[in-house]
């Protein structure tokens, strides 16, 4: 309709009317583009807000996961310390030898320190978050996490060594009664019932104690574990800093 009217104005050489119609067309197109851009920006803004909430959930979950792994590793380190102390003070085991075996097994526990960051990876692929400070905070956290993963990427020699010495029957009992895995969280039971006879436990404990590779490899492994409370604590603090920035940004958007 508008173009037919413009054509009529041109035919009648009414140039003022043509100019006015042209301005109307240009302004209409401009407003249409601006409205579309505003809608796109609003949609993107809402998408980023939702993504930030999901990222906060992911970071909070990773903190909880790291805390549970730190707790499990602290149990393993404590068992390793007790085992090393016993080896240093005793040539052989004569009583409560099943407890010694359990400690040797607890000390051999290993878990990957890998953390999930799929939400953040997807956000980056979509160009989120827009905040440079927030991106840098999450990147710093992930860099710390990857450094810890790399440091514990290879299972300890001690783990393989001691499990070669503990018989299948004793290990089977250990996994049923001395080890717990609930909702992905590992824990190690100290006061678990004996899985083999006292005489068998004595022989097994002394076999482990007297093996020349046990003490040096256990020392190396426990020496690595003592650094974890600090490094994992620093990692979670970095995650919390990122969460604080997310909370600040979400509050600003409300």
């Amino acid at each position: 309709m508008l173009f037919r009217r413009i054509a009529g104005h041109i035919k009648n050489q009414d140039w003022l009317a043509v100019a006015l119609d042209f301005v109307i067309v240009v302004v209409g197109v401009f407003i249409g583009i601006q409205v579309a851009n505003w809608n796109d920006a609003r949609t993107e803004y809402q998408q980023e807000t939702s993504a930030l909430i999901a990222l906060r959930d992911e970071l909070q979950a990773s903190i909880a996961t790291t805390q549970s792994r730190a707790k499990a590793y602290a149990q393993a380190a404590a068992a390793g310390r007790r085992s090393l102390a016993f080896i240093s003070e005793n040539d052989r085991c004569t009583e409560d030898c099943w407890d010694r075996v359990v400690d040797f097994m607890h000390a051999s526990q290993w878990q990957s320190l890998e953390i999930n960051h799929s939400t953040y990876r997807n956000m980056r692929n979509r160009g989120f978050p827009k905040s440079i400070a927030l991106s840098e905070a999450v990147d710093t956290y992930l860099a710390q996490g990857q450094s810890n993963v790399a440091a514990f990427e290879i299972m300890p020699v001690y783990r393989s060594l001691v499990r070669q010495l503990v018989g299948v029957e004793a290990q089977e009992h250990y996994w049923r009664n001395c080890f717990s895995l609930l909702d992905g969280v590992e824990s190690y039971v100290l006061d678990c019932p004996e899985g083999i006879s006292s005489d068998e436990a004595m022989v097994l404990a002394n076999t482990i104690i007297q093996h020349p590779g046990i003490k040096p490899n256990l020392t190396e492994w426990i020496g690595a574990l003592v650094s974890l409370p600090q490094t994992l604590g620093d990692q979670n603090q970095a995650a919390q800093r990122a969460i604080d920035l997310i909370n600040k940004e979400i509050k600003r958007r409300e």
Side-chain angles (χ1 to χ4, degrees):
M1 182 69 181
L2 179 60
F3 290 105
R4 185 182 300 172
R5 189 175 66 189
I6 291 174
H9 291 325
I10 293 174
K11 183 177 181 180
N12 296 327
Q13 296 187 345
D14 188 349
W15 304 118
L16 178 59
V18 170
L20 289 174
D21 288 339
F22 179 78
V23 170
I24 291 172
V25 171
V26 171
V27 170
V29 170
F30 176 78
I31 291 175
I33 292 174
Q34 288 300 106
V35 169
N37 288 341
W38 182 83
N39 285 334
D40 289 344
R42 183 169 178 271
T43 298
E44 184 181 62
Y45 190 81
Q46 292 173 337
Q47 289 175 342
E48 183 179 13
T49 301
S50 297
L52 286 171
I53 293 172
L55 176 59
R56 180 179 61 186
D57 291 343
E58 180 175 84
L59 291 171
Q60 289 173 335
S62 71
I63 288 176
T65 298
T66 300
Q67 287 175 335
S68 71
R69 289 173 181 167
K71 184 177 180 179
Y73 269 128
Q75 286 186 288
R81 287 178 183 273
R82 288 192 298 270
S83 297
L84 287 172
F86 187 86
I87 293 173
S88 297
E89 298 170 4
N90 300 271
D91 293 331
R92 60 191 310 274
C93 181
T94 57
E95 58 183 13
D96 298 326
C97 295
W98 173 250
D99 292 340
R100 304 278 73 77
V101 172
V102 170
D103 267 347
F104 282 125
M105 285 294 292
H106 283 346
S108 74
Q109 296 296 345
W110 173 93
Q111 295 185 66
S112 170
L113 295 177
E114 192 75 48
I115 49 178
N116 177 42
H117 59 280
S118 58
T119 297
Y120 182 65
R121 183 172 61 247
N122 291 335
M123 285 183 67
R124 297 301 289 157
N125 290 337
R126 297 166 61 192
F128 300 146
K130 300 295 186 182
S131 168
I132 295 176
L134 179 51
S135 295
E136 289 178 345
V138 179
D139 288 338
T140 297
Y141 160 64
L142 292 178
Q144 286 185 267
Q146 192 54 47
S147 177
N148 288 331
V149 169
F152 284 81
E153 188 172 12
I154 300 175
M155 295 184 185
V157 174
Y158 168 77
R159 172 187 173 92
S160 176
L161 185 59
V162 75
R163 294 185 183 194
Q164 291 175 31
L165 299 175
V166 178
V168 173
E169 180 184 350
Q171 288 202 42
E172 185 179 22
H173 179 85
Y174 172 86
W175 295 117
R176 282 201 311 263
N177 299 280
C178 311
F179 172 89
S180 172
L181 179 60
L182 182 63
D183 295 331
V185 177
E186 289 188 15
S187 59
Y188 316 126
V189 181
L190 290 178
D191 188 20
C192 56
E194 292 189 12
I196 52 180
S197 70
S198 297
D199 288 343
E200 289 173 321
M202 183 184 301
V203 171
L204 177 54
N206 287 319
T207 298
I208 296 171
I209 291 169
Q210 294 164 11
H211 190 287
I214 287 293
K215 184 177 181 179
N217 283 293
L218 178 56
T219 300
E220 180 183 38
W221 174 230
I222 301 307
L225 292 185
V226 297
S227 67
L228 274 182
Q230 179 67 47
T231 56
L232 293 183
D234 291 344
Q235 177 180 314
N236 276 349
Q237 285 180 6
Q240 187 59 54
R241 285 193 291 271
I243 289 172
D244 291 342
L245 287 175
I246 292 173
N247 286 335
K248 184 178 179 180
E249 176 62 19
I250 291 175
K251 184 174 180 61
R252 186 184 68 80
R253 292 168 178 247
E254 292 176 348

